[in-house]
Amino acid sequence: MTISTPAYEALPPKAGFAGLAESWRADIVSGFLVFLIALPLCLGIAMASGFPPQAGIISAIVGGLLVSRINGSFVTIMGPAAGLIVVILDSVQELGQGDALAGYRYTLAAVFFAGLIQILMGVMKAGKMSAFFPSSAVHGMLAAIGIIIMSKQIHVMLGVKPDAQTLFQTIGAIPASLLDLNPEVAVIGFLGLGILAAWTFVQSPKLKMIPAPLLVVLVGMALGKYFDLEDEHKYLFLPNAVFLPHHEFTIGPKFLVTLPQNFLAGFAFPDFSRALQFVFWQQVFAIALVGSLESLLSAAAVDKLDPYKRVSDLNRDIAAVGVGNAISGLIGGLPMIAEIVRSSANVNNGAKTGWANFFHGLFLLVFVALFPKLIHEIPLASLAALLVFTGYRLASPREFKKTFEIGWDQLGVFVITIVGVLATDLLIGVAIGVAAELLFHFWRSIDWRNVVKLDRSIQETEPGVYHVQVAGAAFFGNYLGLKSDLASIPDGKTVIFDLSETSTVDHTVMENLHHYCDDYQSKGGRAEIRGLDRLVPTSSHPLAPRKRFA
């Protein structure tokens, strides 16, 4: 999907309070529109994660009001994301051992410590860590998350609670849930899903101004009123249809969002009593690693959408997210990341500074404090439809096709990571994907000596011209050193990458080098890659892995 951005003046907006004085009109409008998108997503993500609905809103409020003032990015929106649902739900179930409330409070403690680890990561300049993980393994992790989200939320969308204990049992129960669906709930869910799918084909800029998630929620609320979801009752569905196995169904408030009438009553505090147990720290590191990786990837992607081509300070961003998560964990909120969908909407709506993120958090705070009864009227099926659609986008056939176009080996890593995550958990699954990528590299005859260290040199061959010579095997495991060296090259010069002496270059390095060239040129410099004619790609894709053949 091509994301168009509005035209802007050449000079970037000012930062801080000077930026507020200069750009407050545009940022308030964008913040309000993003708030309309964020409200239903925050509620849905929280409930899918095993947290109370208000936990998602708490996270977005902290991300907007606090993190937006200390982070290193410009137009990103901080808040809960679908990509963390699997990690948080697993933590609630593992730590709670069947007690959902206890699992919630133990997980809040895990979120707090994960935030402290992220602060430390930012101080230690770990913002470059995203370059270490192979791209296909990361995309495989996201696709697996999408599959897990869909498999769990489809049942909610149908108004059915499956008799399943494991993920594969949950997936296997989908046909039974389709047969036993609660018709009125399913109408709300399927209609919401249809609106989201149809909205992707809308071309009118005026219609596009209406956020699809908001439309789904409004339609769901109208149908909820029509079906009288607020009052528990039984109803007959097509009683004269002999082909149906049964006709009587129950509907009521349990199919609606539940929020405390008093906003302050929605806060909760962590339980640190399991902090000395190994399983607790497993969850802490899973939240910190997956959250940091997703946040870094999202922030880097949002930079490419910024019409002013500003570049985020990713180390400061991770530290700021850590501060936000530590505070969010102390008061009952979900962990947050730099969220790509809301950030894209923020750019498209004309946001100019981080104050748009601040206003989005402020609108959420005002709305949830003043209108909790209105939120209670949102059907769970509408929120489930939003999450099913989000999960589909993460694991759509297009993602498989895009990966296959890069090369069959990359598709192999992608699929292996998906299977690994589904069969084990996120961390082990990603580790399996990384191991698979390594095996493919050794199959290409990589010298073991190249596993950690990349043979490279940077020389200023003439004034303003930097020659970057790379030799041997260049792949995800040894790219971080080169990335650190490239940070020392000043802006506005000419950078020439010479890959003529490399024996192999993997997809992750090709992707990072192309991104570096694009970013460097956007800041007024010139960058190019030479020597690829001596390497044979595994496919026709411009970012395909390459290997020298004798």
Side-chain angles (χ1 to χ4, degrees):
M1 180 179 68
T2 301
I3 299 178
S4 59
T5 57
Y8 287 83
E9 58 271 19
L11 291 177
K14 297 174 184 176
F17 287 102
L20 175 63
E22 178 184 77
S23 308
W24 65 270
R25 291 178 181 84
D27 287 340
I28 282 182
V29 171
S30 183
F32 178 74
L33 293 173
V34 172
F35 144 72
L36 296 177
I37 299 172
L39 176 64
L41 289 175
C42 289
L43 295 169
I45 290 167
M47 289 185 292
S49 301
F51 272 38
Q54 188 167 310
I57 297 176
I58 290 172
S59 173
I61 290 172
V62 173
L65 299 186
L66 172 64
V67 178
S68 71
R69 301 298 83 229
I70 61 175
N71 65 350
S73 52
F74 301 93
V75 287
T76 54
I77 298 295
M78 299 293 178
L84 285 174
I85 288 175
V86 177
V87 185
I88 301 303
L89 182 61
D90 180 66
S91 178
V92 171
Q93 294 173 341
E94 282 290 321
L95 298 178
Q97 297 179 334
D99 187 335
L101 179 59
Y104 166 49
R105 295 186 63 210
Y106 291 138
T107 300
L108 289 178
V111 171
F112 169 77
F113 282 114
L116 298 185
I117 291 173
Q118 288 176 314
I119 294 172
L120 184 62
M121 290 169 65
V123 172
M124 296 177 66
K125 300 188 182 304
K128 59 188 178 182
M129 65 172 279
S130 60
F132 172 77
F133 293 92
S135 298
S136 296
V138 172
H139 293 147
M141 176 192 76
L142 295 174
I145 288 172
I147 292 170
I148 295 170
I149 291 171
M150 284 190 290
S151 67
K152 293 179 179 292
Q153 292 301 308
I154 282 173
H155 302 285
V156 179
M157 199 179 80
L158 299 174
V160 178
K161 187 174 183 179
D163 183 17
Q165 302 298 321
T166 68
L167 173 62
F168 289 106
Q169 288 176 345
T170 303
I171 295 173
I174 291 175
S177 291
L178 286 168
L179 290 175
D180 296 334
L181 59 81
N182 192 314
E184 292 184 352
V185 175
V187 165
I188 295 172
F190 279 122
L191 189 56
L193 202 58
I195 290 171
L196 293 168
W199 221 244
T200 61
F201 298 100
V202 173
Q203 300 297 324
S204 169
K206 290 184 178 179
L207 279 179
K208 277 290 189 182
M209 288 293 291
I210 304 173
L214 175 64
L215 191 59
V216 169
V217 166
L218 292 177
V219 171
M221 291 171 69
L223 286 173
K225 283 288 187 183
Y226 178 75
F227 293 139
D228 194 19
L229 289 186
E230 291 190 17
D231 298 312
E232 185 167 342
H233 63 278
K234 294 181 179 180
Y235 69 96
L236 295 176
F237 180 73
L238 299 180
N240 298 321
V242 295
F243 61 87
L244 291 176
H246 60 281
H247 309 278
E248 188 175 82
F249 299 89
T250 301
I251 207 163
K254 69 178 181 178
F255 294 103
L256 296 171
V257 173
T258 302
L259 276 185
Q261 293 302 308
N262 181 356
F263 175 63
L264 295 178
F267 290 93
F269 304 101
D271 184 341
F272 293 98
S273 61
R274 301 196 65 178
L276 297 179
Q277 298 178 5
F278 177 73
V279 66
F280 177 84
W281 287 98
Q282 275 185 308
Q283 304 306 326
V284 170
F285 282 104
I287 294 168
L289 180 61
V290 176
S292 299
L293 184 57
E294 281 201 64
S295 196
L296 288 170
L297 294 172
S298 297
V302 174
D303 281 351
K304 300 184 190 310
L305 303 178
D306 185 359
Y308 298 107
K309 303 302 179 186
R310 292 167 289 188
V311 178
S312 299
D313 182 342
L314 296 181
N315 296 315
R316 183 175 172 181
D317 233 32
I318 284 295
V321 167
V323 171
N325 284 339
I327 293 174
S328 187
L330 288 175
I331 59 176
L334 278 169
M336 69 193 70
I337 67 167
E339 210 284 327
I340 183 67
V341 174
R342 276 157 266 169
S343 299
S344 300
N346 194 37
V347 174
N348 286 337
N349 292 332
K352 295 189 176 185
T353 73
W355 288 103
N357 188 9
F358 176 88
F359 287 122
H360 127 272
L362 183 61
F363 282 123
L364 280 169
L365 174 61
V366 171
F367 190 86
V368 75
L370 299 182
F371 306 107
K373 289 184 179 179
L374 195 59
I375 295 176
H376 172 64
E377 296 178 7
I378 300 175
L380 297 180
S382 295
L383 302 180
L386 294 175
L387 294 174
V388 169
F389 188 71
T390 299
Y392 174 78
R393 288 193 300 182
L394 290 172
S396 70
R398 182 182 299 177
E399 295 300 318
F400 287 81
K401 182 175 181 290
K402 282 166 54 179
T403 309
F404 178 67
E405 287 173 350
I406 299 170
W408 66 267
D409 56 334
Q410 297 305 299
L411 179 63
V413 173
F414 181 78
V415 172
I416 288 170
T417 305
I418 291 174
V419 174
V421 171
L422 296 181
T424 56
D425 59 36
L426 277 173
L427 290 184
I428 295 176
V430 171
I432 291 171
V434 171
E437 180 83 2
L438 279 172
L439 289 175
F440 278 118
H441 285 302
F442 292 132
W443 173 76
R444 295 193 187 102
S445 304
I446 281 185
D447 190 325
W448 280 92
R449 292 170 295 182
N450 294 136
V451 170
V452 176
K453 187 176 181 180
L454 176 64
D455 187 2
R456 65 195 187 275
S457 65
I458 300 179
Q459 293 181 333
E460 189 174 8
T461 54
E462 55 185 275
V465 178
Y466 290 81
H467 188 267
V468 183
Q469 179 73 52
V470 181
F475 74 114
F476 73 93
N478 57 26
Y479 176 72
L480 286 181
L482 176 59
K483 183 172 184 177
S484 296
D485 293 347
L486 293 175
S488 65
I489 299 177
D491 294 339
K493 309 297 182 181
T494 297
V495 181
I496 298 173
F497 291 96
D498 186 353
L499 304 184
S500 59
E501 298 301 320
T502 55
S503 58
T504 182
V505 184
D506 80 344
H507 165 59
T508 303
V509 173
M510 288 296 300
E511 187 175 59
N512 277 286
L513 291 181
H514 275 77
H515 286 169
Y516 176 86
C517 291
D518 290 342
D519 291 341
Y520 195 80
Q521 289 174 168
S522 71
K523 291 182 285 187
R526 190 173 74 86
E528 61 177 281
I529 301 173
R530 297 177 181 174
L532 293 179
D533 55 320
R534 300 191 181 187
L535 303 169
V536 178
T538 59
S539 74
S540 59
H541 195 280
L543 302 182
R546 286 160 164 77
K547 179 181 178 181
R548 182 189 299 278
F549 285 95

PDB file of all heavy atoms in Angstrom, residues 380-396:
ATOM      1  N   LEU A 380     -17.698  -6.310  22.267  1.00  0.00           N
ATOM      2  CA  LEU A 380     -16.411  -7.002  22.175  1.00  0.00           C
ATOM      3  C   LEU A 380     -16.172  -7.529  20.759  1.00  0.00           C
ATOM      4  O   LEU A 380     -15.030  -7.608  20.302  1.00  0.00           O
ATOM      5  CB  LEU A 380     -16.376  -8.169  23.165  1.00  0.00           C
ATOM      6  CG  LEU A 380     -16.487  -7.816  24.659  1.00  0.00           C
ATOM      7  CD1 LEU A 380     -16.430  -9.081  25.497  1.00  0.00           C
ATOM      8  CD2 LEU A 380     -15.389  -6.856  25.071  1.00  0.00           C
ATOM      9  N   ALA A 381     -17.244  -7.882  20.065  1.00  0.00           N
ATOM     10  CA  ALA A 381     -17.107  -8.427  18.710  1.00  0.00           C
ATOM     11  C   ALA A 381     -16.515  -7.390  17.759  1.00  0.00           C
ATOM     12  O   ALA A 381     -15.768  -7.741  16.836  1.00  0.00           O
ATOM     13  CB  ALA A 381     -18.464  -8.907  18.187  1.00  0.00           C
ATOM     14  N   SER A 382     -16.840  -6.120  17.975  1.00  0.00           N
ATOM     15  CA  SER A 382     -16.269  -5.067  17.128  1.00  0.00           C
ATOM     16  C   SER A 382     -14.766  -4.958  17.341  1.00  0.00           C
ATOM     17  O   SER A 382     -13.991  -4.826  16.383  1.00  0.00           O
ATOM     18  CB  SER A 382     -16.935  -3.720  17.439  1.00  0.00           C
ATOM     19  OG  SER A 382     -18.296  -3.733  17.092  1.00  0.00           O
ATOM     20  N   LEU A 383     -14.337  -5.011  18.606  1.00  0.00           N
ATOM     21  CA  LEU A 383     -12.910  -4.945  18.907  1.00  0.00           C
ATOM     22  C   LEU A 383     -12.195  -6.194  18.384  1.00  0.00           C
ATOM     23  O   LEU A 383     -11.066  -6.115  17.887  1.00  0.00           O
ATOM     24  CB  LEU A 383     -12.692  -4.801  20.408  1.00  0.00           C
ATOM     25  CG  LEU A 383     -13.351  -3.581  21.059  1.00  0.00           C
ATOM     26  CD1 LEU A 383     -13.056  -3.553  22.555  1.00  0.00           C
ATOM     27  CD2 LEU A 383     -12.871  -2.292  20.405  1.00  0.00           C
ATOM     28  N   ALA A 384     -12.856  -7.344  18.491  1.00  0.00           N
ATOM     29  CA  ALA A 384     -12.256  -8.581  17.976  1.00  0.00           C
ATOM     30  C   ALA A 384     -12.079  -8.507  16.464  1.00  0.00           C
ATOM     31  O   ALA A 384     -11.081  -8.988  15.921  1.00  0.00           O
ATOM     32  CB  ALA A 384     -13.129  -9.778  18.347  1.00  0.00           C
ATOM     33  N   ALA A 385     -13.046  -7.891  15.772  1.00  0.00           N
ATOM     34  CA  ALA A 385     -12.920  -7.734  14.313  1.00  0.00           C
ATOM     35  C   ALA A 385     -11.696  -6.889  13.969  1.00  0.00           C
ATOM     36  O   ALA A 385     -10.961  -7.191  13.012  1.00  0.00           O
ATOM     37  CB  ALA A 385     -14.190  -7.099  13.751  1.00  0.00           C
ATOM     38  N   LEU A 386     -11.442  -5.821  14.750  1.00  0.00           N
ATOM     39  CA  LEU A 386     -10.255  -4.994  14.526  1.00  0.00           C
ATOM     40  C   LEU A 386      -8.989  -5.822  14.663  1.00  0.00           C
ATOM     41  O   LEU A 386      -8.048  -5.699  13.861  1.00  0.00           O
ATOM     42  CB  LEU A 386     -10.216  -3.837  15.524  1.00  0.00           C
ATOM     43  CG  LEU A 386     -11.306  -2.772  15.423  1.00  0.00           C
ATOM     44  CD1 LEU A 386     -11.170  -1.778  16.566  1.00  0.00           C
ATOM     45  CD2 LEU A 386     -11.228  -2.049  14.093  1.00  0.00           C
ATOM     46  N   LEU A 387      -8.944  -6.694  15.672  1.00  0.00           N
ATOM     47  CA  LEU A 387      -7.745  -7.486  15.911  1.00  0.00           C
ATOM     48  C   LEU A 387      -7.587  -8.600  14.884  1.00  0.00           C
ATOM     49  O   LEU A 387      -6.466  -8.919  14.472  1.00  0.00           O
ATOM     50  CB  LEU A 387      -7.777  -8.063  17.324  1.00  0.00           C
ATOM     51  CG  LEU A 387      -7.697  -7.015  18.438  1.00  0.00           C
ATOM     52  CD1 LEU A 387      -7.881  -7.658  19.800  1.00  0.00           C
ATOM     53  CD2 LEU A 387      -6.368  -6.270  18.385  1.00  0.00           C
ATOM     54  N   VAL A 388      -8.685  -9.211  14.466  1.00  0.00           N
ATOM     55  CA  VAL A 388      -8.601 -10.232  13.413  1.00  0.00           C
ATOM     56  C   VAL A 388      -8.045  -9.621  12.128  1.00  0.00           C
ATOM     57  O   VAL A 388      -7.189 -10.207  11.455  1.00  0.00           O
ATOM     58  CB  VAL A 388      -9.986 -10.876  13.157  1.00  0.00           C
ATOM     59  CG1 VAL A 388      -9.968 -11.730  11.888  1.00  0.00           C
ATOM     60  CG2 VAL A 388     -10.398 -11.732  14.343  1.00  0.00           C
ATOM     61  N   PHE A 389      -8.513  -8.418  11.811  1.00  0.00           N
ATOM     62  CA  PHE A 389      -8.030  -7.742  10.609  1.00  0.00           C
ATOM     63  C   PHE A 389      -6.550  -7.380  10.747  1.00  0.00           C
ATOM     64  O   PHE A 389      -5.768  -7.536   9.808  1.00  0.00           O
ATOM     65  CB  PHE A 389      -8.857  -6.483  10.344  1.00  0.00           C
ATOM     66  CG  PHE A 389      -8.570  -5.826   9.028  1.00  0.00           C
ATOM     67  CD1 PHE A 389      -8.975  -6.414   7.845  1.00  0.00           C
ATOM     68  CD2 PHE A 389      -7.887  -4.624   8.964  1.00  0.00           C
ATOM     69  CE1 PHE A 389      -8.711  -5.821   6.621  1.00  0.00           C
ATOM     70  CE2 PHE A 389      -7.614  -4.017   7.749  1.00  0.00           C
ATOM     71  CZ  PHE A 389      -8.029  -4.615   6.575  1.00  0.00           C
ATOM     72  N   THR A 390      -6.150  -6.928  11.938  1.00  0.00           N
ATOM     73  CA  THR A 390      -4.742  -6.621  12.193  1.00  0.00           C
ATOM     74  C   THR A 390      -3.889  -7.879  12.062  1.00  0.00           C
ATOM     75  O   THR A 390      -2.806  -7.863  11.449  1.00  0.00           O
ATOM     76  CB  THR A 390      -4.567  -6.029  13.603  1.00  0.00           C
ATOM     77  OG1 THR A 390      -5.325  -4.824  13.698  1.00  0.00           O
ATOM     78  CG2 THR A 390      -3.113  -5.736  13.903  1.00  0.00           C
ATOM     79  N   GLY A 391      -4.352  -8.982  12.628  1.00  0.00           N
ATOM     80  CA  GLY A 391      -3.628 -10.244  12.524  1.00  0.00           C
ATOM     81  C   GLY A 391      -3.494 -10.708  11.087  1.00  0.00           C
ATOM     82  O   GLY A 391      -2.431 -11.200  10.676  1.00  0.00           O
ATOM     83  N   TYR A 392      -4.558 -10.524  10.309  1.00  0.00           N
ATOM     84  CA  TYR A 392      -4.498 -10.931   8.894  1.00  0.00           C
ATOM     85  C   TYR A 392      -3.449 -10.129   8.137  1.00  0.00           C
ATOM     86  O   TYR A 392      -2.720 -10.669   7.303  1.00  0.00           O
ATOM     87  CB  TYR A 392      -5.872 -10.760   8.245  1.00  0.00           C
ATOM     88  CG  TYR A 392      -5.839 -11.022   6.755  1.00  0.00           C
ATOM     89  CD1 TYR A 392      -5.814 -12.324   6.266  1.00  0.00           C
ATOM     90  CD2 TYR A 392      -5.791  -9.976   5.840  1.00  0.00           C
ATOM     91  CE1 TYR A 392      -5.756 -12.579   4.909  1.00  0.00           C
ATOM     92  CE2 TYR A 392      -5.734 -10.215   4.480  1.00  0.00           C
ATOM     93  CZ  TYR A 392      -5.720 -11.522   4.019  1.00  0.00           C
ATOM     94  OH  TYR A 392      -5.646 -11.766   2.672  1.00  0.00           O
ATOM     95  N   ARG A 393      -3.374  -8.828   8.417  1.00  0.00           N
ATOM     96  CA  ARG A 393      -2.382  -8.012   7.718  1.00  0.00           C
ATOM     97  C   ARG A 393      -0.959  -8.450   8.060  1.00  0.00           C
ATOM     98  O   ARG A 393      -0.062  -8.381   7.210  1.00  0.00           O
ATOM     99  CB  ARG A 393      -2.574  -6.537   8.065  1.00  0.00           C
ATOM    100  CG  ARG A 393      -3.817  -5.939   7.424  1.00  0.00           C
ATOM    101  CD  ARG A 393      -3.820  -4.438   7.503  1.00  0.00           C
ATOM    102  NE  ARG A 393      -3.782  -3.957   8.872  1.00  0.00           N
ATOM    103  CZ  ARG A 393      -3.817  -2.684   9.214  1.00  0.00           C
ATOM    104  NH1 ARG A 393      -3.879  -1.760   8.285  1.00  0.00           N
ATOM    105  NH2 ARG A 393      -3.794  -2.329  10.483  1.00  0.00           N
ATOM    106  N   LEU A 394      -0.740  -8.930   9.278  1.00  0.00           N
ATOM    107  CA  LEU A 394       0.592  -9.397   9.657  1.00  0.00           C
ATOM    108  C   LEU A 394       0.945 -10.716   8.983  1.00  0.00           C
ATOM    109  O   LEU A 394       2.123 -10.973   8.716  1.00  0.00           O
ATOM    110  CB  LEU A 394       0.677  -9.572  11.180  1.00  0.00           C
ATOM    111  CG  LEU A 394       0.666  -8.297  12.019  1.00  0.00           C
ATOM    112  CD1 LEU A 394       0.559  -8.652  13.500  1.00  0.00           C
ATOM    113  CD2 LEU A 394       1.913  -7.470  11.762  1.00  0.00           C
ATOM    114  N   ALA A 395      -0.056 -11.550   8.716  1.00  0.00           N
ATOM    115  CA  ALA A 395       0.203 -12.893   8.186  1.00  0.00           C
ATOM    116  C   ALA A 395      -0.509 -13.132   6.866  1.00  0.00           C
ATOM    117  O   ALA A 395      -0.852 -14.272   6.537  1.00  0.00           O
ATOM    118  CB  ALA A 395      -0.243 -13.937   9.218  1.00  0.00           C
ATOM    119  N   SER A 396      -0.725 -12.099   6.077  1.00  0.00           N
ATOM    120  CA  SER A 396      -1.461 -12.253   4.819  1.00  0.00           C
ATOM    121  C   SER A 396      -0.630 -13.014   3.785  1.00  0.00           C
ATOM    122  O   SER A 396       0.608 -13.054   3.870  1.00  0.00           O
ATOM    123  CB  SER A 396      -1.830 -10.875   4.261  1.00  0.00           C
ATOM    124  OG  SER A 396      -0.671 -10.210   3.804  1.00  0.00           O
TER     125      SER A 396
END
